[in-house]
């Protein structure tokens, strides 16, 4: 999702975040409108003897040695799965297990959580890596999540500007970046959220507190970077690219919302570290987000909504949702209405969602957006919608069960597979369904 989306509505046809030229062919959709065709770059990944992920090319026979995990690595991964939890209802066991295996493969031995294995995705985006850390922490692998967070801290040490993360880093641990696409402040919000989620999942105790102390620089610098880059009066951040990774001229909700949710989430972490109260910064950021109300468009002063409106929904904010017609109860009514309207306007021919209302009519569904709406539906108590979106995601995996980045108008998976962000979001959605079931059982009891 991040850095792989083409520019939209800015008069540029070139793809963003792709280091290689991808030729888009044209096919005729059933309605007669031409739609883009993007090839599938990989069916999935396997682990070599060194534990490094290797691409399984489309069309590779299942019995081909290149389509097989190293036996030792497979056994290690089997044991790793046993140590944690496979979330969700039994019907999704295969989906969840494959997503976990893919995330494990995409976290390199040095803690670098790459977005994918294809050339233009084999980097560490702080945003994507944060979601990987949260998914692993909430499925019983807090140590792996901690390694990802310490890697991000090292990247912040090596190359950042006043603590503001670069868009992405090489996975070699040097802090080098593959290009000059620049700083993206929303990454600091996502990292704070990830630290808070890891801390909660790791369980209380001396060992967890000692590990949190190791992450002090990451938390302290990220809070300082957000404070330094938001206006104390308006609450708005400076102009940065967000997860679309295109040049912006005004603040976006894709930056504002992650900053707010990250600082809110970090309240307990900051208190335990003795960093002082974060409430004043929360209040400032709330004022900034309020400037997008009541319609919550992508850009300040704009009209079209995008995926970022979901970042104002549970589980990114706390609210008491219930299943059925009252799903989302406790969420701001304007936010809930904007979330629903955005999803309705972003539907694509195959049944998934585009990144935004104003996205070009290329017929392509994006699995990260679809999964974000599945997650927020589940966390808001709208189990029916969450299940519908999960079913769609499961039905559009590759032949090896990997979750791709995109799905074409005809239902074909395309682009990179697996995509770490989508796998993480699916696991979090399944975990939210478990929490809904536990909550319902508690209420019944």
């Amino acid at each position: 999702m991040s850095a792989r989306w083409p520019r939209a509505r800015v008069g540029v046809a070139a793809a963003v975040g792709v280091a290689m030229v991808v030729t888009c062919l044209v096919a005729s959709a059933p309605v007669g409108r031409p739609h883009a065709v993007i090839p599938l770059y990989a069916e999935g990944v396997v682990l070599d003897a060194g534990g490094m992920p290797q691409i399984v090319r489309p069309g590779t026979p299942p019995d081909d040695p290149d389509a097989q995990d190293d036996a030792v690595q497979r056994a290690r991964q089997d044991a790793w799965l046993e140590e944690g939890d496979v979330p969700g209802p039994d019907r999704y066991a295969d989906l969840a297990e494959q997503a976990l295996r893919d995330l494990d493969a995409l976290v390199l031995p040095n803690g670098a959580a790459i977005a994918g294995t294809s050339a233009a995705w084999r980097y560490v985006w702080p945003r994507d890596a944060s979601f990987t850390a949260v998914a692993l922490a909430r499925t019983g692998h807090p140590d792996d999540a901690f390694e990802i967070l310490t890697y991000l801290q090292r990247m912040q040490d090596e190359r950042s500007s006043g603590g503001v993360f670069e868009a992405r880093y090489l996975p070699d641990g040097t802090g080098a970046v593959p290009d000059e696409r620049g700083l993206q402040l929303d990454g600091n919000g996502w990292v704070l959220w990830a630290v808070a989620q890891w801390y909660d999942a790791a369980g209380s105790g001396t060992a967890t507190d000692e590990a949190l102390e190791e992450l002090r620089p990451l938390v302290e610098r990220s809070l300082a970077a957000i404070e330094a880059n938001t206006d104390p009066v308006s609450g708005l951040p400076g102009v940065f690219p967000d997860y679309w990774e295109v040049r912006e001229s005004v603040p976006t909700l894709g930056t504002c919302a992650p900053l707010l949710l990250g600082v809110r989430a970090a309240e307990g972490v900051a208190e335990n570290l003795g960093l002082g109260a974060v409430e004043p910064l929360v209040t400032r950021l709330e004022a900034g987000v309020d400037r997008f109300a009541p319609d919550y468009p992508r850009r300040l002063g704009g009209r079209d909504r995008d995926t970022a409106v979901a970042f104002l929904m549970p589980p990114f904010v706390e609210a008491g949702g219930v299943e059925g017609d009252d799903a989302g109860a406790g969420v701001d009514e304007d936010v809930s209405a904007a979330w629903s309207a955005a999803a309705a306007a972003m539907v694509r021919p195959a049944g998934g969602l585009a990144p935004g209302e104003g996205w070009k009519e290329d017929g392509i569904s994006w699995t990260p957006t679809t999964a974000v709406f599945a997650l927020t539906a589940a966390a808001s108590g709208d189990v029916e919608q969450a299940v519908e979106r999960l079913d769609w995601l499961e039905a559009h995996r590759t032949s090896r069960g990997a979750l791709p980045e995109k799905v074409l108008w005809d239902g074909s998976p395309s682009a990179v597979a697996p995509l770490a962000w989508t796998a993480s979001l699916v696991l979090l959605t399944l975990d939210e369904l478990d929490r809904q079931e536990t909550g319902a059982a508690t209420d019944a009891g």
Side-chain angles (χ1 to χ4, degrees), residues 122-149:
R122 205 178 181 100
Y123 304 117
V124 179
W125 279 263
R127 163 187 326 113
D128 300 52
S130 294
F131 274 85
T132 298
V134 173
L136 292 177
R138 285 177 53 171
T139 53
H141 304 284
D143 290 347
D144 298 88
F146 181 74
E147 290 181 5
I148 294 171
L149 294 172

Side-chain angles (χ1 to χ4, degrees), residues 33-45:
R33 178 183 292 125
H35 285 312
V37 176
I38 298 173
L40 182 65
Y41 306 142
E43 292 282 356
V45 296

Side-chain angles (χ1 to χ4, degrees), residues 223-277:
L223 286 169
I226 293 171
E227 184 169 19
N229 286 280
T230 52
D231 186 90
V233 177
S234 70
L236 291 169
V239 178
F240 291 88
D242 58 20
Y243 60 97
W244 280 34
E245 297 204 302
V246 298
R247 190 180 302 278
E248 302 291 351
S249 59
V250 296
T252 68
L253 190 61
T255 292
C256 292
L259 299 185
L260 175 57
L261 70 88
V263 175
R264 276 177 175 165
E267 181 177 5
V269 165
E271 181 179 355
N272 285 324
L273 289 172
L275 298 180

Side-chain angles (χ1 to χ4, degrees), residues 190-214:
W190 289 123
V191 165
L192 288 174
W193 171 70
V195 171
Q197 290 281 309
W198 160 79
Y199 187 69
D200 181 63
S204 60
T206 302
T208 301
D209 288 338
E210 289 176 350
L212 178 62
E213 182 62 35
E214 293 183 42

Side-chain angles (χ1 to χ4, degrees), residues 15 18 29 37 41 56 59 79 93 95 124-125 160 189 195 206 235 273 282 296 328 332 361 370 383 396 399 412:
V18 180
V37 176
Y41 306 142
V56 177
L95 173 67
V124 179
W125 279 263
S160 62
V195 171
T206 302
L273 289 172
V282 169
Y296 297 97
D332 181 276
E361 295 291 337
T370 308
V383 174
H396 291 87
S399 64
S412 303

Side-chain angles (χ1 to χ4, degrees), residues 153-175:
Q153 180 168 275
R154 293 198 301 274
M155 296 305 94
Q156 194 181 46
D157 289 341
E158 295 292 339
R159 179 161 174 164
S160 62
S161 180
V164 180
F165 283 103
E166 294 283 340
R168 57 185 185 168
Y169 296 88
L170 296 179
D172 61 2
T174 64

